[in-house]
Amino acid sequence: MSSFSFEVIKEIPGQLGRAGVISTPHGQITTPAFIPVGTKASVKSLAPEAVTNLGAQAVLANAYHLYLQPGAETLDAAGGLGKFMNWNRPTFTDSGGFQVMSLGAGFKKVIDMSLGSLDSDEAIAESKERLAHVDDEGVTFKSHLDGSMHRFTPEISMQVQHQIGADIIFAFDELTTLHNTRKYQEQSLERTRLWAIRCLDEHKRLTDQRSDKPYQALFGVLQGAQYEDLRRKAAKDLSEMNSSGIAFDGFGIGGALDKASLGQIVSWMSSELPRDKPRHLLGIGEPADLFAGVENGADTFDCVAPSREARTSAVYSENGRFNVSSATYKKDFSPIEKDCNCYTCSNFSRAYLNHLFRAKEMLASTLATIHNLAFTVRLVDRMRKSIVEESFLEYKEEFLAKYQAKRMD
Ligand SMILES: [Zn+2]
């Protein structure tokens, strides 16, 4: 008996987007929702109370990083990720595939988001410099921490994610870039399909073996780069997949996504996927991309950008992003955003943040992170509200017109 479910509450008329509710053993997530990233079981610079107060419904941690440090068995002994980090709402972990290959293979800009901006030599390190090597069984990689050698297979990723104990976990997939050849994308997709079957089998075995633990939902990860036939095939294959008597509980839309066609790529897959299972769009957090994802049927999102950019003093507002450490704000005693009800905007001025960043005070990162995460979480929450009130497209137009008009970056 699983204690995981998803219910669609309302759909955007004539579109694939919807509002819904995911239920997990640690509570519900009303969707669409933005899930802040706590890579190493910590949302950088924030105590969990601050993460709760800014409106986050769940957090997503990283299996690769936690496997290397402190080790998945430590989280298992602690009673799982949520208990270890004192976060009592739902949790996600990604499979480690992305980090194993993006850090290990030396994709220099991680995953390039635009087909035009880089050539393949810039996107992928020379083979001899690579720290990760993929074969049909799994991936051998070198730790970015100490250079030690490790191996991830679909089975090991499932074991690590069961020990970490998040409510929603992801199948182990191979990551490609937009610059791999079509032939390689086909081979890789087949490898990821075979790995998905192995993930289901191992997940079933571990779920039975650890039946005293809270139920963990397994999402299959869909690849296929920019190719419509491959994206549709991935969605169809994984939604029909059944092994050891179980199917995937939901789906992760992953891999290289050409930003210009993000919405279209998500729509190809959403139209093949079952309506009654949730879809997570991995690594997407820019406002225009969030709208495209929601409109085309993605339910949850995670991205390091809002918190990472906050730490470099780039803050978000409805009129675009700006750099609060710039001299312009030295004596600006207004909040980052007038109508924002976050802890930072309720209590502090741009001038104070400007000072904290220039003085290299740790509080600078904390306050800017609270605002950027609150902004992004609220944006997706408002998309949900607009779907329920049947005004999604109007909200999208109104928001983006303002956000894109005066971008200051
Ligand atoms: Zn704010």
Side-chain angles (χ1 to χ4, degrees), residues 131-199:
L131 301 175
H133 292 277
V134 183
D135 58 61
D136 287 339
E137 281 301 301
V139 184
T140 303
F141 61 97
K142 204 179 245 187
S143 160
H144 74 288
L145 294 176
D146 62 6
S148 56
M149 294 306 293
H150 298 265
R151 188 161 167 80
F152 259 37
T153 62
E155 291 76 16
I156 292 171
S157 174
M158 289 298 101
Q159 290 156 18
V160 166
Q161 291 189 84
H162 271 261
Q163 286 186 305
I164 295 172
D167 296 300
I168 294 173
I169 66 177
F170 288 92
F172 189 65
D173 59 317
E174 185 189 355
L175 175 70
T176 60
T177 78
L178 294 172
H179 304 287
N180 286 111
T181 61
R182 161 83 194 197
K183 191 169 167 51
Y184 190 85
Q185 302 286 8
E186 287 172 14
Q187 290 166 349
S188 169
L189 201 67
E190 177 60 9
R191 180 145 55 204
T192 290
R193 191 185 70 82
L194 295 171
W195 287 2
I197 297 171
R198 287 166 55 186
C199 285

Side-chain angles (χ1 to χ4, degrees), residues 125-335:
E126 290 293 318
S127 177
K128 62 180 179 341
E129 294 171 14
R130 288 195 189 193
L131 301 175
H133 292 277
V134 183
D135 58 61
D136 287 339
E137 281 301 301
V139 184
T140 303
F141 61 97
K142 204 179 245 187
S143 160
H144 74 288
L145 294 176
D146 62 6
S148 56
M149 294 306 293
H150 298 265
R151 188 161 167 80
F152 259 37
T153 62
E155 291 76 16
I156 292 171
S157 174
M158 289 298 101
Q159 290 156 18
V160 166
Q161 291 189 84
H162 271 261
Q163 286 186 305
I164 295 172
D167 296 300
I168 294 173
I169 66 177
F170 288 92
F172 189 65
D173 59 317
E174 185 189 355
L175 175 70
T176 60
T177 78
L178 294 172
H179 304 287
N180 286 111
T181 61
R182 161 83 194 197
K183 191 169 167 51
Y184 190 85
Q185 302 286 8
E186 287 172 14
Q187 290 166 349
S188 169
L189 201 67
E190 177 60 9
R191 180 145 55 204
T192 290
R193 191 185 70 82
L194 295 171
W195 287 2
I197 297 171
R198 287 166 55 186
C199 285
L200 280 175
D201 293 341
E202 184 66 1
H203 175 63
K204 175 69 164 76
R205 189 184 74 77
L206 292 166
T207 302
D208 290 347
Q209 190 189 75
R210 297 164 58 94
S211 56
D212 55 323
K213 309 280 182 191
Y215 181 79
Q216 294 179 274
L218 177 61
F219 284 24
V221 177
L222 311 175
Q223 295 281 353
Q226 69 270 44
Y227 301 105
E228 178 173 359
D229 58 333
L230 299 186
R231 285 285 178 183
R232 286 187 184 274
K233 181 179 187 304
K236 208 167 178 324
D237 285 347
L238 268 70
S239 54
E240 288 169 358
M241 193 172 279
N242 192 301
S243 195
S244 299
I246 60 164
F248 288 111
D249 296 294
F251 301 92
I253 297 172
L257 291 164
D258 181 19
K259 278 205 164 200
S261 45
L262 178 77
Q264 193 178 41
I265 291 172
V266 175
S267 81
W268 295 334
M269 288 180 288
S270 293
S271 53
E272 303 288 342
L273 290 170
R275 180 179 171 272
D276 61 352
K277 291 189 177 178
R279 306 158 190 158
H280 181 88
L281 187 50
L282 288 148
I284 296 295
E286 277 286 312
D289 300 334
L290 292 169
F291 276 105
V294 167
E295 184 171 350
N296 291 289
D299 302 300
T300 48
F301 304 83
D302 75 275
C303 189
V304 295
S307 42
R308 180 176 288 167
E309 291 179 1
R311 297 195 300 277
T312 68
S313 72
V315 294
Y316 300 171
S317 85
E318 289 190 347
N319 295 311
R321 196 173 55 171
F322 64 93
N323 195 320
V324 74
S325 67
S326 136
T328 323
Y329 306 108
K330 207 166 159 33
K331 288 186 181 163
D332 183 341
F333 297 101
S334 62

Side-chain angles (χ1 to χ4, degrees), residues 32 287 290-291 294-295 318 337 375-403:
L290 292 169
F291 276 105
V294 167
E295 184 171 350
E318 289 190 347
E337 196 165 34
F375 177 92
T376 310
V377 165
R378 183 175 58 225
L379 175 63
V380 182
D381 287 351
R382 283 185 181 165
M383 291 184 204
R384 177 180 212 275
K385 190 163 173 275
S386 74
I387 293 172
V388 172
E389 293 171 353
E390 300 187 356
S391 59
F392 175 80
L393 295 174
E394 293 90 315
Y395 178 57
K396 174 184 148 187
E397 267 179 38
E398 184 196 344
F399 180 91
L400 290 178
K402 209 169 155 190
Y403 187 78

